[in-house]
Amino acid sequence: MDTIVTVRDSLKAAQDFAARNNKLFVNGEFVDSTSEDIISSINPSTGEKWGDVQAASSVDVNNVAQAAEQCFHKIWSKVSPRERETMLHRFADILEKNGDVICAIDACDSGRLFGAAAQNSDLVKVGAARIETLIDTIRYFAGWPTKIAGQSFPLIPQPGTTSVCSMQTILEPIGVVACVLPWNAPALFMINKVIPALAAGCTTIVKPAEQTPMSALFIASLFREAGFPAGAVNVINGNGPIGADLCQNPLVKKITFTGSTEVGRKISQAASSTFKRLTLELGGKSAFIVMHDADIDAAAIHARVSGYGNAGQFCMCPSRLFVEKSVLSSFVEKLAALANNIVVGDALAPETTMGPVITRQDRDRIDETVSDARAEGAELIFGGEILDQPGHFFQPTLLSVANPESLIAQKEVFGPVLTLIPFDRQNLDWLVTMANDTEFGLAASLWTKDLSVAHRLASQLEAGIITVNTHPGIDPMIPFGGVKNSGTGREFGHEGFASFLETKSLHIMV
Ligand code: NAP
Ligand code: MG
């Protein structure tokens, strides 16, 4: 099928869905909110509203928490591991069939490129909503339910008696999990959170970001189609205070959150009164370090892809480019040429290689950040302008600073703005100190052929994810998460899965 037809049909299906199912999804049904509040979703590619959804009230939060808890106790925690696996694989098949519609919804809601149609899109299309990534995650976690196992210990003789004590640990699902999502990859973050929770035997309540309310509702309807019991996956839209209500609800046992450091801090405080388990994936200001012996072509391509993919609205965006002075001009020349070829435009248009930024306010905030940086002495190498067209677009931008402590090299821009920081080869201690001199610690990448340098720097960099000769590093098999103000806990891998399980210790005297 040709790409244009796929996009048009998927968009039509997305619009039909948005017009019909704009309610809350509670206990397996689309139900009306008890509030009159409406959230409008603005398509960032056009600046126009493309759908409305109902916003939940505090009463709805209580109802949904009860529905999720009932389902947990009465149904889902009693479903056998093998059956959970079968259902997850069935859901993966259904999601795959609906991939284009999900990508079209996210393109309209968040401005993420409609990438599913460009199946063979190369690195340059990264930032596109690719359904394969979601399927990989579902199938990875679908393998875990039958591998949940505790420990058992040798029988312990009890001194002075004939008794022995048998001890073992049992791993049980935690219970109801609140999944609070950001707007920059709505479907992907829903899958990353809901799937391991369900695999572990937990039930879920999803709270999408207010800018991107729609794909979570659509995906919830697919869980119903796959046969998940009513109440296993619930979706309530609403703004920050509804998220706060949910995070304080006593029936919620764990919160898994992706979003800003500021909101992560509030959630952490709210969760503390009931000691909820927390996984927080927060902001970043990742260092991308190019040494003199690096493959400069590859480094420039990855900087372009990860830096300007999704218009820089990407937590692992390599927003601090530390480049050794001997290769600076060659790196900048290559990156500038790649940036020059970027086609900025509508997320649904097949020729687009960089979409919009999320809101008009964000576009203006990015513009102001660039102006402030220039006033502070940063040199503009390319870009730096708002694009004067409908929607919210900002040019791919590169600034250069001498001082890594300047504001532009410290604060998360969350837009297509990268900061270049040249360094001298003999100054590796300075490099490590400066790369670590940020409140964040999500990712860092190193570009060098010298494995000894790679190992030494990797051990000294303060980041949860380090990559060498590639950026970024995401795979459901390996844990993902940050240190410092980039968060706590890990998603993915066994560690991510185990975060939805509670350990019970059993002592039996026999
Ligand atoms: P955000 O403003 O922190 O919002 C995230 C979610 O939290 C939204 O659903 C938001 O609802 C909700 N929320 C707001 N206040 C709340 C409260 N007091 N209690 C509970 N929930 C609350 O983040 P964003 O603007 O959507 O996303 C951008 C940020 O996410 C960036 O900082 C980026 O670095 C980070 N991010 C991190 C990762 C990672 O894996 N580390 C990945 C992607 C993005 P409303 O939308 O209604 O405010
Ligand atoms: Mg927000």
Side-chain angles (χ1 to χ4, degrees):
M1 201 187 303
D2 85 40
T3 308
I4 307 277
V5 174
T6 312
V7 174
R8 200 187 314 122
D9 289 352
S10 308
L11 178 61
K12 169 95 178 55
Q15 284 164 333
D16 286 350
F17 178 82
R20 275 182 292 115
N21 297 302
N22 56 2
K23 303 181 176 184
L24 314 179
F25 190 82
V26 180
N27 219 9
E29 300 293 336
F30 285 100
V31 297
D32 282 314
S33 162
T34 59
S35 115
E36 301 283 300
D37 294 345
I38 293 289
I39 291 178
S40 294
S41 177
I42 308 295
N43 180 340
S45 296
T46 61
E48 284 166 17
K49 180 170 97 170
W50 82 285
D52 282 326
V53 296
Q54 296 184 12
S57 68
S58 297
V59 173
D60 298 319
V61 172
N62 278 331
N63 292 343
V64 77
Q66 274 168 24
E69 204 208 29
Q70 293 247 329
C71 178
F72 173 68
H73 284 299
K74 295 195 175 147
I75 306 171
W76 190 239
S77 60
K78 297 187 167 54
V79 171
S80 76
R82 203 173 301 284
E83 178 64 7
R84 294 209 297 273
E85 293 193 356
T86 306
M87 287 174 83
L88 286 165
H89 281 298
R90 197 185 305 142
F91 173 72
D93 294 339
I94 293 173
L95 192 92
E96 201 160 17
K97 287 197 197 105
N98 289 277
D100 283 344
V101 182
I102 294 169
C103 292
I105 294 176
D106 274 0
C108 294
D109 255 359
S110 74
R112 213 163 145 70
L113 296 191
F114 182 85
Q119 290 298 342
N120 294 322
S121 62
D122 50 12
L123 281 171
V124 171
K125 277 266 182 182
V126 167
R130 300 196 58 177
I131 219 68
E132 295 87 336
T133 315
L134 279 57
I135 303 297
D136 285 349
T137 299
I138 301 165
R139 298 220 188 272
Y140 169 77
F141 283 115
W144 270 115
T146 51
K147 284 97 188 162
I148 298 170
Q151 288 178 297
S152 65
F153 298 82
L155 293 176
I156 312 288
Q158 301 300 295
T161 75
T162 55
S163 298
V164 289
C165 189
S166 156
M167 297 195 296
Q168 55 183 288
T169 60
I170 301 168
L171 304 183
E172 298 180 337
I174 284 187
V176 176
V177 177
C179 307
V180 184
L181 313 182
W183 48 260
N184 61 332
L188 179 130
F189 286 115
M190 174 167 177
I191 293 299
N192 291 357
K193 294 177 185 324
V194 169
I195 294 296
L198 292 172
C202 298
T203 57
T204 59
I205 303 167
V206 178
K207 208 300 275 175
E210 63 193 287
Q211 298 89 341
T212 53
M214 219 63 90
S215 58
L217 292 170
F218 183 73
I219 293 171
S221 73
L222 302 183
F223 277 109
R224 181 171 63 183
E225 194 181 327
F228 282 81
V233 179
N234 305 277
V235 176
I236 51 166
N237 276 298
N239 53 18
I242 283 302
D245 259 13
L246 180 63
C247 292
Q248 280 162 37
N249 190 290
L251 299 179
V252 169
K253 300 297 179 226
K254 169 171 171 128
I255 302 164
T256 167
F257 169 79
T258 297
S260 62
T261 297
E262 184 193 349
V263 173
R265 195 170 281 124
K266 286 186 194 161
I267 288 182
S268 188
Q269 282 157 1
S272 67
S273 65
T274 45
F275 302 107
K276 296 185 198 312
R277 294 271 209 95
L278 280 180
T279 302
L280 302 175
E281 299 291 354
L282 311 177
K285 191 76 186 175
S286 299
F288 183 102
I289 300 171
V290 184
M291 315 292 288
H292 67 281
D293 62 343
D295 176 339
I296 302 297
D297 286 305
I301 289 172
H302 279 261
R304 178 267 172 259
V305 167
S306 303
Y308 301 128
N310 218 29
Q313 303 163 118
F314 172 50
C315 54
M316 297 209 292
C317 175
S319 45
R320 293 180 303 148
L321 303 170
F322 289 92
V323 181
E324 202 171 308
K325 284 181 183 161
S326 59
V327 290
L328 185 68
S329 58
S330 135
F331 177 81
V332 170
E333 200 177 295
K334 288 174 199 290
L335 181 58
L338 290 165
N340 198 36
N341 282 336
I342 291 176
V343 180
V344 182
D346 190 319
L348 284 163
E351 66 279 9
T352 300
T353 56
M354 190 182 103
V357 298
I358 187 72
T359 62
R360 183 161 290 261
Q361 294 92 300
D362 279 278
R363 184 201 69 177
D364 295 346
R365 174 187 57 76
I366 293 164
D367 187 46
E368 209 173 297
T369 305
V370 170
S371 302
D372 291 349
R374 295 181 71 184
E376 218 195 327
E379 180 199 346
L380 181 71
I381 299 180
F382 57 75
E385 300 284 332
I386 287 175
L387 293 177
D388 186 19
Q389 62 192 67
H392 327 127
F393 296 96
F394 198 84
Q395 288 179 325
T397 297
L398 183 65
L399 295 162
S400 178
V401 297
N403 178 10
E405 287 175 328
S406 56
L407 199 56
I408 188 69
Q410 290 291 325
K411 126 177 172 188
E412 186 182 39
V413 180
F414 225 60
V417 178
L418 306 182
T419 302
L420 190 67
I421 308 164
F423 71 92
D424 286 313
R425 186 170 176 182
Q426 41 300 17
N427 233 339
L428 285 191
D429 288 343
W430 175 91
L431 174 67
V432 170
T433 307
M434 287 304 143
N436 290 338
D437 182 30
T438 148
E439 64 171 303
F440 299 111
L442 187 56
S445 52
L446 288 168
W447 293 83
T448 177
K449 295 194 180 82
D450 186 335
L451 275 184
S452 152
V453 170
H455 275 290
R456 253 180 288 139
L457 289 187
S459 73
Q460 293 176 73
L461 290 171
E462 295 167 354
I465 304 144
I466 305 225
T467 56
V468 178
N469 297 330
T470 184
H471 186 103
I474 303 178
D475 188 303
M477 292 194 296
I478 188 162
F480 175 95
V483 297
K484 304 200 291 192
N485 287 353
S486 288
T488 178
R490 293 290 178 269
E491 288 189 317
F492 294 153
H494 178 252
E495 208 175 326
F497 177 63
S499 73
F500 294 92
L501 296 168
E502 191 72 81
T503 303
K504 182 180 273 176
S505 300
L506 182 64
H507 307 238
I508 302 180
M509 203 65 81
V510 289

